Amino acid sequence: MSVYEKLKSLDITLAPPAAPVAAYVMWVRTGNLVFISGHIAKKADGSIWAGQLGKNIETAEGQQAARAIAIDLMGTLQEACGGDLNNVKRIVKVMSLVNSTPDYTDQHLVTNGCSELLGEVFGEAGKHARSAFGVAQIPRGACVEIELIAEVV
């Protein structure tokens, strides 16, 4: 099944990337690598998915937020690939920042919301190296922020 057939079967529609809100660009390509800037969690209505894991957000909701970020990351990656995700050779690395209390230790499980969807959409090419960190705060109070590195043709 192609990437686009898989997205369709999952009822996922990719949106074009949002404009950056500070002094950076959404993605940079160097050689065959694309570096995608951190994307923060947003709800379906576009509002920031704010909160802190271990305080007012449970792990399952954090996973949903991370999954939503994966969809946004794929939209940005599609633009970086000239409009065609079939040009993605491999998802290389995901780095996840989870807004969490000092005693919350399931950042890796939150990040699975992103990692599992990338694996489902890209198959073997979606399996990636990963880091997941707990942080004291994320811009605009978002519960999760994720960045991605991909190899493209």
Side-chain angles (χ1 to χ4, degrees), residues 44-64:
D45 65 4
S47 64
I48 302 301
W49 204 321
Q52 190 172 51
L53 279 290
K55 181 178 179 183
N56 56 6
I57 294 184
E58 299 293 324
T59 300
E61 184 180 354
Q63 289 170 331
Q64 292 171 345

Side-chain angles (χ1 to χ4, degrees), residues 87-107:
N87 290 328
V88 174
K89 187 172 180 182
R90 179 171 195 105
I91 305 299
V92 177
K93 173 114 191 224
V94 165
M95 187 182 79
S96 174
L97 306 172
V98 180
N99 182 353
S100 51
T101 61
D103 60 338
Y104 184 82
T105 60
D106 285 336
Q107 292 85 0

Side-chain angles (χ1 to χ4, degrees), residues 4 77-87:
Y4 291 103
L77 183 57
Q78 179 175 253
E79 179 182 90
C81 291
D84 189 356
L85 285 175
N86 291 310
N87 290 328

Side-chain angles (χ1 to χ4, degrees), residues 17 33 39 44 46 63 71 86 106 123 135:
L33 294 178
H39 284 46
Q63 289 170 331
I71 294 168
N86 291 310
D106 285 336
V135 297

